[in-house]
Amino acid sequence: MAIDAFLQSLTELEAEALGAFDAAPDAAALEAARIEFLGAKNGRFKSVQKGLGTIPPADKPLAGKRLNEVRDAIQSGFDRATERLARGVIEEVDPTFDPTLPAAPPRLGRRHPITQTIGELVDIMGRLGFSLEEGPEIEDERHNFDALNIPADHPARDPLDNFYLSGSGGVLRLLRSQTSTVQIRVMERRQPPVRIIALGRVYRPDTADPTHYPMFHQMEGLMVDRGVTMADLKRTLALFADSYLGTDVDVRFRPSFFPFTEPSVEVDFFWNGRWMEFGGAGMVDPNVLRAVGYDPDVVSGFAFGLGVERLCMRRFGVTDIRDLYTNDVRFLRQF
Ligand code: FA5
């Protein structure tokens, strides 16, 4: 075969192969074109290559060089077409997919429902003008009982109803059984007017059941000023209940007794056909005001202590308090 004819057939083959690869609309068409041009047995490049044996020896170096160039060009054309089709597949699946964007951050977790509830309670009370205060979870008897007008022989001090701690250097200490301790700590260091809430854990050796747990949270509220009345207390609690539970939730006040308030009430909401208690409240007893150095003839106040778990349960429809502390992620994932 003459060298010119050989080179001519190589040039034509290159143009045709590149044209076919560029035009292939999908992977199947590209594969068919690959077999036609680059097929190991009967591919058209192979047939042209066979013609090399018939080229006069003097022209062989030129023919071989051109053969290699055309083989490389056809192979590159095939690689480009493969890449083009791969990109096309991604665009077809999701036209908004942008492989250059950073990956989405993984979901690492979420806030516990009680933490979410506490955040919302702080928010609501903040809007009503109550600022957040803190107190220790390990308390002395003065703050947990004495200053709250709870006498030495009162059953609330019973060792069976409290977690007393041993070995605390002569002073009897216990895990606080109520957040009312923070009322005393705030009034001891501040003069009226006072308008605070305290939110935190309290501990009682109660047997766990659907509405009781040995560790739970309370939100304490305290307002002391000139001329504070029971009407202010009821209005504040009603506003709170409307904001947190919703205006469609029935709330009732029942007469009750606490050593540190007079008069006292308990507050219930209606749920699943019965009333559930969610807190205690009342007008701060004059003895408590005196114990912190306030003059009960000049100022008066109200206080309340609400069970955070029970509020959270009512809000989210949780019927067993123990679910909040089992740490089952299938449960927690729902909040
Ligand atoms: C008190 O703890 C008073 N300190 C409340 C108070 C504050 C009255 C200020 C007056 C003035 P009580 O023991 O009823 O009250 O508890 C208040 C709320 O805590 C209950 O209504 C209930 O919602 C919640 N609670 C009580 N015990 C448990 C428990 N074991 N598990 C979960 N929640 C509880």
Side-chain angles (χ1 to χ4, degrees), residues 210-211 269-277:
T211 52
F269 51 64
F270 196 70
W271 191 24
N272 289 341
R274 64 188 188 92
W275 291 99
M276 190 195 288
E277 177 197 318

Side-chain angles (χ1 to χ4, degrees), residues 40-104:
K41 275 194 184 150
N42 300 317
R44 286 174 58 186
F45 180 79
K46 220 41 188 193
S47 339
V48 175
Q49 191 179 22
K50 280 181 192 147
L52 189 62
T54 64
I55 299 292
D59 294 331
K60 269 203 176 137
L62 174 63
K65 180 168 173 279
R66 183 69 189 131
L67 190 75
N68 286 340
E69 282 170 7
V70 170
R71 189 198 53 224
D72 290 350
I74 293 177
Q75 183 62 48
S76 303
F78 173 75
D79 292 345
R80 276 196 307 279
T82 307
E83 230 174 76
R84 169 177 59 79
L85 288 176
R87 266 202 315 275
V89 166
I90 292 169
E91 277 153 20
E92 248 170 52
V93 171
D94 177 3
T96 63
F97 180 77
D98 181 350
T100 62
L101 287 176

Side-chain angles (χ1 to χ4, degrees), residues 194-239:
V194 171
R195 204 193 299 188
I196 60 105
I197 53 165
L199 255 153
R201 294 188 190 95
V202 300
Y203 304 84
R204 295 179 192 177
D206 288 348
T207 304
D209 67 16
T211 52
H212 293 86
Y213 208 70
M215 184 285 300
F216 59 101
H217 295 72
Q218 284 188 334
M219 176 171 77
E220 193 78 12
L222 172 71
M223 176 166 175
V224 183
D225 203 347
R226 289 169 189 264
V228 175
T229 68
M230 191 78 182
D232 297 316
L233 168 63
K234 284 191 74 176
R235 189 75 202 120
T236 303
L237 284 176
L239 273 174

Side-chain angles (χ1 to χ4, degrees), residues 177-180 183 204 206 211-218 220-221 258 260-261 265-267 277-282 303-310 321:
S177 61
Q178 49 185 345
T179 44
S180 299
Q183 288 183 34
R204 295 179 192 177
D206 288 348
T211 52
H212 293 86
Y213 208 70
M215 184 285 300
F216 59 101
H217 295 72
Q218 284 188 334
E220 193 78 12
F258 294 101
F260 35 94
T261 48
V265 290
E266 264 166 334
V267 204
E277 177 197 318
F278 71 93
F304 57 82
L306 313 182
V308 174
E309 278 74 4
R310 293 193 189 170
I321 193 172

